[in-house]
Amino acid sequence: MSAVIGAFAALVAVAVLGYVVGLAGVLRSQDELVLSRLAFFVATPALMFTTVARADLHSIFSVVLVTNLAGLFVVQVLFLLVAVVIWRRTRSQATIGVLASSYVNAGNLGVPVAAYVLGNGALVAPIVLLQVVVMAPIAFAVLDSDRRGSGRRVPLRTVLTRPLRNPLTVASLLGLLVSVLGVRLPDLLMRPIDLVAAAAVPVALIAYGLSLSAGTKDSITLRRDVVLAVALKTFAQPLTAYVVARWVLDLHGTALLAPTLLAALPTAQNVYVYAVQYRASRTLARSAVLLSTLLSIPTMILIAGLLA
């Protein structure tokens, strides 16, 4: 299980670096927005393009996709029922909460876990594709349709066309096109894209750590929205994946471990980047990323120990 611990250690270390440089005054708290925009508009689209363009599309029909869809359905419906029907949260608040409870860290953490723990890095490809090609565009459309900083509603035309103008969506669709056509892009083109893509994870993590260094009392909260999102992400999603894989698909051994372990991945730091970009529920996103990351470490180790 050293690979799981090592992957989490790297993730936390970079976030701590952002926290330290914020405390030291090397970066200011207002630089958080600049870094988040850099990640959202430049680095993350490059990462999404390279990830999707190189993915084996046959893997989208794997058991991981089936269990992931089941887990998504359960946790998202539960969060919406509680947050919208009972707590009367706005669409923006509910959308960020849904992402916080189900959008897993499949890129920088899922890949090493799949590669070094499960022995097959391609196992995480269905999750990456589902999140960047389906979940993220839908979330962006909802966020854009809701109230933004000015308090004005975005016209329907903008709502319908915005996903096609979102850098993450466009990059994902272009990567999907390259993969479907089987085109091998020249190294002269891919090398600079890979170079920019490599900055996506550290920039997002540094922005996240920097946000914690401000020292405001609401940097991390245990309010009920956060508790619900973290509980669903950390416990309900992997439990659903296990139930579907074990009792519906009748899987055993590594075939059972893979979907369960990947469903236990923590909330992706990209959710915080999205919350900053759309100025919606940043404290919820920030708290969910941190708490789910801390809780997922023992959870994933326990899952691996019981099912390996």
Side-chain angles (χ1 to χ4, degrees):
M1 290 301 100
S2 59
V4 177
I5 297 174
F8 276 107
L11 186 72
V12 173
V14 179
V16 169
L17 174 62
Y19 179 80
V20 170
V21 297
L23 287 181
V26 176
L27 293 176
R28 303 162 298 175
S29 58
Q30 55 264 43
D31 293 331
E32 171 201 343
L33 179 60
V34 177
L35 292 175
S36 294
R37 289 177 63 86
L38 174 62
F40 184 86
F41 285 102
V42 181
T44 305
L47 177 61
M48 293 302 95
F49 173 77
T50 58
T51 299
V52 178
R54 290 166 176 160
D56 178 10
L57 293 184
H58 292 90
S59 63
I60 65 175
F61 300 105
S62 71
V63 65
V64 172
L65 178 59
V66 176
T67 56
N68 185 247
L69 286 171
L72 288 176
F73 177 78
V74 170
V75 300
Q76 290 181 359
V77 168
L78 287 175
F79 188 90
L80 289 174
L81 285 175
V82 176
V84 177
V85 177
I86 301 177
W87 295 339
R88 302 295 181 182
R89 297 295 184 251
T90 66
R91 282 185 293 178
S92 292
Q93 292 171 335
T95 300
I96 295 299
V98 163
L99 292 177
S101 64
S102 60
Y103 199 104
V104 304
N105 194 334
N108 65 298
L109 187 59
V111 171
V113 168
Y116 298 113
V117 178
L118 302 172
N120 182 6
L123 289 172
V124 80
I127 301 177
V128 173
L129 290 172
L130 179 64
Q131 291 187 163
V132 301
V133 177
V134 179
M135 286 182 62
I138 292 175
F140 298 151
V142 175
L143 289 168
D144 275 321
S145 70
D146 206 3
R147 296 185 183 276
R148 302 193 60 185
S150 62
R152 294 182 290 108
R153 283 191 176 277
V154 181
L156 179 61
R157 178 181 176 183
T158 302
V159 173
L160 296 176
T161 60
R162 180 73 179 196
L164 297 178
R165 293 184 283 115
N166 183 284
L168 297 180
T169 306
V170 173
S172 300
L173 292 176
L174 289 175
L176 186 61
L177 179 63
V178 170
S179 183
V180 168
L181 296 178
V183 177
R184 186 182 185 280
L185 299 177
D187 291 341
L188 187 63
L189 174 63
M190 291 302 294
R191 283 177 181 173
I193 298 177
D194 287 333
L195 189 62
V196 174
V201 172
V203 169
L205 287 173
I206 289 175
Y208 171 66
L210 184 60
S211 72
L212 299 179
S213 68
T216 57
K217 63 180 181 180
D218 62 342
S219 290
I220 295 296
T221 180
L222 290 176
R223 69 189 189 198
R224 56 188 182 180
D225 301 72
V226 174
V227 173
L228 175 61
V230 172
L232 290 173
K233 173 78 252 358
T234 307
F235 306 113
Q237 194 168 11
L239 179 60
T240 302
Y242 173 81
V243 169
V244 172
R246 176 66 182 86
W247 303 111
V248 177
L249 302 177
D250 194 28
L251 300 178
H252 304 274
T254 303
L256 177 61
L257 171 63
T260 308
L261 191 63
L262 293 178
L265 289 167
T267 303
Q269 74 274 7
N270 288 349
V271 174
Y272 176 69
V273 174
Y274 303 157
V276 171
Q277 176 61 30
Y278 287 98
R279 289 175 282 181
S281 301
R282 283 178 283 187
T283 301
L284 166 60
R286 182 166 50 218
S287 301
V289 170
L290 177 62
L291 295 175
S292 66
T293 298
L294 294 176
L295 289 174
S296 65
I297 297 175
T299 301
M300 295 179 71
I301 293 175
L302 178 62
I303 290 172
L306 292 175
L307 301 181

